[in-house]
Amino acid sequence: MNRFIGRTALVTGAASGIGREVAISFAREGATVVGADTDSDGLCGLCEQIGNRVWARVLDVSSESDWISAIRETETRHGRLDVLVNCAGAEAADGLQDPEHLLLEGWRRGQSVNVEGVALGCKHAIGLMSRNRSGAIINIASVAACVSTPTLAAYGASKAAVIHLTRSVAAHCARAGYGIRCNSVVPGVVVTPMMERYWSRLEREQHLSAAEARQRFLSRIPLGAFQEATDIAAAVLFLASADARQ
Ligand code: NAD
């Protein structure tokens, strides 16, 4: 399928995991991709994989000045922005943190990437998209927003904020008549470098074996299987496509 020929999609977190798969999927369907991340080595790997369909841009989503220049350069190079996928995300702390022992520094780091990064992305993409009276913004939340996260309190709270922010962006754009849609995708458990890091922590801090750490998650999934990054990419591309217009 070639649903995105002539379209430009900016994907944050494109150097790894879900964001990388989303970037590859857009390129496969004809889009010009702006792959953004703080990890320049990972972005090089993405470029090697999808070649001239991607423009790699180092971007720290928590920096407003980075967003301003990235959006300006996107306009200069490609003339338009049709899709923004806010996929960059970070664990809130270096270790497991319950609400009783959370450290403010870790809390703030998680909020600055997961919440402020998404808010800034939406803010600056709306400005460019609204000129064409069309666009789609997809924010990657998490099942951690919907269930209790006693050892990941800050991460869960940040992802709940993403879901609420998404609703505010969607309502604002609708009222303003911009023709911009905004949706969240809420992944379950996907085996990516982020998840591997989390399991390693469980092994270290709760003295579990690698198999036990994985099994703890798997046993809570009714379908008995982890999701694949391709599953999340398929949902993102649907929401970005004309099929999801209303
Ligand atoms: P990942 O660690 O493989 O990829 C995250 C990417 O975000 C990395 O390339 C990293 O460099 C980038 N990043 C981090 N901070 C950044 C910043 N300040 N600016 C720009 N880029 C930054 O993780 P993933 O599992 O692919 O996660 C992707 C998204 O999906 C995240 O928002 C995560 O919270 C969410 N999510 C993941 C899972 C899962 O099970 N893996 C489940 C639910 C939600």
Side-chain angles (χ1 to χ4, degrees):
M1 289 172 73
N2 285 311
R3 288 178 288 179
F4 298 99
I5 286 177
R7 304 284 176 197
T8 300
L10 193 161
V11 182
T12 71
S16 175
I18 296 169
R20 186 186 177 96
E21 192 57 46
V22 167
I24 291 168
S25 300
F26 272 115
R28 201 178 283 137
E29 294 225 27
T32 298
V33 176
V34 181
D37 206 292
T38 46
D39 174 4
S40 51
D41 290 343
L43 287 176
C44 286
L46 178 70
C47 290
E48 278 164 22
Q49 197 166 352
I50 57 178
N52 61 5
R53 295 226 70 87
V54 67
W55 172 50
R57 174 65 160 81
V58 174
L59 165 80
D60 178 351
V61 294
S62 63
S63 159
E64 184 151 29
S65 58
D66 272 18
W67 272 110
I68 291 168
S69 53
I71 293 290
R72 192 184 297 134
E73 286 167 30
T74 300
E75 183 179 22
T76 306
R77 282 172 170 258
H78 307 296
R80 56 188 297 133
L81 180 62
D82 301 286
V83 180
L84 169 66
V85 184
N86 283 309
C87 190
E91 306 90 322
D94 294 329
L96 304 178
Q97 279 196 2
D98 63 52
E100 189 184 349
H101 299 101
L102 67 81
L103 298 172
L104 199 50
E105 191 188 335
W107 170 277
R108 285 182 176 152
R109 191 165 62 242
Q111 306 307 310
S112 85
V113 176
N114 297 347
V115 186
E116 292 169 23
V118 173
L120 290 171
C122 293
K123 173 182 172 181
H124 292 286
I126 287 169
L128 181 51
M129 287 175 168
S130 60
R131 289 190 214 152
N132 289 332
R133 299 266 146 199
S134 73
I137 299 174
I138 295 104
N139 297 327
I140 306 300
S142 169
V143 67
C146 310
V147 299
S148 66
T149 50
T151 56
L152 285 175
Y155 179 79
S158 73
K159 290 299 185 178
V162 168
I163 292 177
H164 188 80
L165 177 64
T166 300
R167 295 190 185 110
S168 298
V169 171
H172 168 74
C173 291
R175 282 184 190 168
Y178 287 155
I180 299 170
R181 293 177 282 109
C182 186
N183 289 280
S184 301
V185 167
V186 182
V189 180
V190 188
V191 184
T192 64
M194 180 187 282
M195 213 55 223
E196 302 277 9
R197 286 193 296 275
Y198 184 50
W199 284 327
S200 299
R201 273 188 214 140
L202 283 178
E203 285 174 60
R204 277 196 313 274
E205 297 180 21
Q206 299 192 357
H207 310 294
L208 300 174
S209 70
E212 286 168 336
R214 284 178 172 241
Q215 189 53 38
R216 182 182 278 194
F217 277 77
L218 204 50
S219 65
R220 294 187 197 140
I221 301 173
L223 286 174
F226 296 123
Q227 289 177 308
E228 305 281 339
T230 48
D231 299 327
I232 312 306
V236 169
L237 266 70
F238 166 73
L239 289 170
S241 76
D243 292 337
R245 198 178 58 84
Q246 291 289 355

